[in-house]
């Protein structure tokens, strides 16, 4: 299935349920440079043998300015020019780096993505945000710029480690919570091994998530309002991820629990919702309890790029599928964090 979405900065072609070999038709090798990480290159180097390939180390630690600088020098050595297209083949780390680099190399070249992790497919590659970390500050430097295309080949997920499947499901559960409770229902009846063995159901789920994210992004590409709801679970989640070097999806799972507690405190959300979401998270091998230092998390939240003068916009739920943006004082955030931290001691 193929469709095109029109963003103010240009069109994005989505090739869903496709094959990586289609890249040859979409982006001829002599006009492109591929960027990937060493893991992905080990598995799929041969698939892209006709392309010039630059690799970065695998994992979050590659998302630095140093990597962007090194890649820029290598691009210059390859004589990449304004007409060269960069193609990020990998998880969210690779697509973030590629999108940012392409947006500034020679003041901007075009780029495309082949997301190879579940999280990349449903989230990181979609929506045009591309960022790198600066020290403890996640995605502190970044751009909003759409790729020309995103090519989905779910056969590439066959080599994805189990933990990365769970990471991806954290974001899928997030989509269910903020806008599409039907996703939660479907997830309740299945599990990871079901999706690993059912290509058709997996592709349907991924496509649903891509549509859900794009619906929000099309309404608010630059995150002046609505797009913030995609950060459900990410505010406390990012702080936990940075402090305790957690997997992104694990941190988001924990962050969603904190946001649900805050929703109970502030919007009188029924605790049954937290029980239901916790059940689904566990079904997809995600954590729902964690021991952490409340003061350290609060300290990091005070440095959050989303903070206002004396509060932070938190995404809360009024009901499953109904997210709202609420400014929470640091006292309100502390209260939710404390309840969550205490729950882990029981
Ligand atoms: N830009 C955005 O809108 C956005 C949204 C969500 C997340 N992100 C970012 O995405 C990153 C997380 O993405 P991620 O979870 O994909 O992490 P990742 O890119 O680090 O990939 C996770 C691991 O899986 C490996 N991998 C990827 N595809 C594989 C495959 N097919 N087979 C075997 N191994 C494979 C990678 O080498 C890596 O070791 C974070 O940096 C996060 O900030 C960005």
């Amino acid at each position: 299935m193929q469709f095109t979405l029109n963003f103010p900065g240009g069109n994005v072609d989505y090739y869903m349920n496709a094959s990586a070999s289609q890249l040859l038709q979409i982006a001829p090798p002599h006009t492109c440079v591929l960027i990937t990480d060493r893991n992905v290159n080990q598995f799929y180097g041969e698939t892209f043998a006709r392309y010039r390939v630059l690799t970065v180390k695998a994992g979050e630690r590659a998302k630095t300015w140093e990597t962007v600088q090194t890649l820029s020098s290598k691009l210059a050595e390859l004589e990449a020019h304004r007409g060269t297209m960069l193609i990020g083949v990998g998880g969210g780390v690779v697509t973030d780096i590629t999108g940012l680099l392409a947006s500034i190399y020679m003041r901007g070249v075009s780029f495309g993505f082949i997301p190879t992790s579940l999280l990349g497919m449903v989230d990181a590659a979609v929506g045009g945000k591309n960022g790198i970390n600066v020290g403890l500050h996640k995605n502190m430097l970044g751009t909003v710029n759409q790729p020309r295309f995103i090519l989905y080949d779910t056969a590439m997920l066959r080599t994805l480690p189990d933990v990365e499947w769970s990471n991806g499901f954290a974001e899928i559960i997030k989509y269910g919570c903020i806008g599409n409770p039907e996703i939660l229902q479907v997830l309740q009846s299945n599990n990871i091994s079901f999706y690993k063995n059912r290509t058709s159901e997996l592709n349907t789920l991924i496509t649903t998530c891509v549509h859900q994210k794009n619906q929000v992004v099309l309404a608010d590409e630059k995150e002046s309002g609505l797009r913030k709801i995609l950060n459900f679970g990410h505010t406390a989640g990012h702080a936990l991820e940075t402090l305790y070097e957690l997997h992104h999806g694990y941190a988001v799972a924990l962050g969603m629990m904190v946001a649900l507690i805050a929703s109970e405190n502030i919007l009188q959300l029924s605790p049954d919702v937290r029980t239901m979401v916790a059940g689904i998270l566990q079904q997809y091998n995600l954590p729902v309890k964690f021991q952490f230092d409340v003061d350290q998390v609060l300290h990091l939240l005070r440095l959050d790029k989303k903070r206002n003068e004396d509060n932070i916009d938190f995404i809360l739920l009024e009901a499953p599928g109904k997210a709202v943006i609420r400014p929470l004082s640091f006292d309100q955030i502390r209260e939710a964090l404390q309840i969550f931290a205490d729950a882990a001691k029981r």
Side-chain angles (χ1 to χ4, degrees), residues 37 39-40 43-44 58-60 63 90-94 96 116-117 119-120 123-126 129-131 133 138-139 156-161 164 167 171 213 227 234 238 241 248:
D37 75 25
N39 269 342
V40 175
F43 288 114
Y44 300 102
E60 190 68 22
K63 260 179 59 165
V93 165
V94 165
D96 265 5
T116 62
S117 68
L119 189 142
D123 191 4
V126 180
K129 273 198 199 177
N130 315 289
N133 306 328
K138 254 191 86 68
N139 302 324
M156 294 176 94
L157 295 175
R158 273 200 293 259
T159 50
L160 193 70
E164 302 302 341
N167 270 329
E171 300 292 353
K213 179 161 184 182
R227 186 166 182 169
H234 283 60
H238 274 164
E241 181 176 357
H248 182 73

